[in-house]
Amino acid sequence: MIDIRPTAETFTALLKQGDFHGAAERFWHEDVSSIEAMGEPRAVHGKAAVAAKGAAWYAAHEVKAFEVEGPYVNEDQFALTMRIDVTVKASGQRVQMTEVGLYTVDEDGMIVEERFFY
């Protein structure tokens, strides 16, 4: 079993700095999967598809604040708690969300799955 703590800590530090693109580019495996608790699409596979899903989300929301707690490491996985304050661009509605992201890391230190709970 590899020590995933360096991946978890660096990925989290990049998110805390607001560098979501850098975190994804550095740590997402080419075949990464992203699984949401609800909504469409529920699951997407492949780095380009996951990036496109994220771009669509950011295009629809204006992020006012983003906080991350963690990482909480267990073997080949780590979890983050994220608090997000956004304005939905289409409606102007302000929304505060809390979610947990569970990330699975392969033997090369790359994230092969991200799964969100909210």
Side-chain angles (χ1 to χ4, degrees):
M1 183 67 59
I2 65 155
D3 180 11
I4 69 160
R5 191 163 295 281
T7 294
E9 290 175 350
T10 304
F11 182 82
T12 304
L14 289 168
L15 293 184
K16 287 180 178 181
Q17 295 167 14
D19 189 4
F20 307 104
H21 179 75
E25 279 301 307
R26 182 164 176 190
F27 291 107
W28 280 350
H29 189 279
E30 285 299 319
D31 294 323
V32 65
S33 294
S34 180
I35 302 163
E36 295 288 339
M38 61 184 153
E40 291 299 324
R42 267 281 327 271
V44 294
H45 307 282
K47 196 173 189 177
V50 175
K53 179 191 84 153
W57 189 88
Y58 280 102
H61 299 88
E62 179 184 345
V63 179
K64 303 290 187 183
F66 181 83
E67 298 176 11
V68 180
E69 292 179 11
Y72 308 102
V73 177
N74 185 348
E75 295 187 8
D76 66 341
Q77 295 180 312
F78 68 96
L80 301 174
T81 301
M82 294 168 269
R83 289 180 186 79
I84 309 162
D85 182 1
V86 300
T87 299
V88 180
K89 291 180 181 178
S91 67
Q93 180 183 11
R94 188 97 177 242
V95 179
Q96 290 78 39
M97 301 179 277
T98 300
E99 68 182 23
V100 172
L102 178 64
Y103 300 86
T104 303
V105 180
D106 72 5
E107 61 278 351
D108 295 320
M110 301 299 288
I111 295 171
V112 295
E113 182 182 277
E114 59 178 21
R115 185 177 294 258
F116 298 103
F117 302 82
Y118 38 86

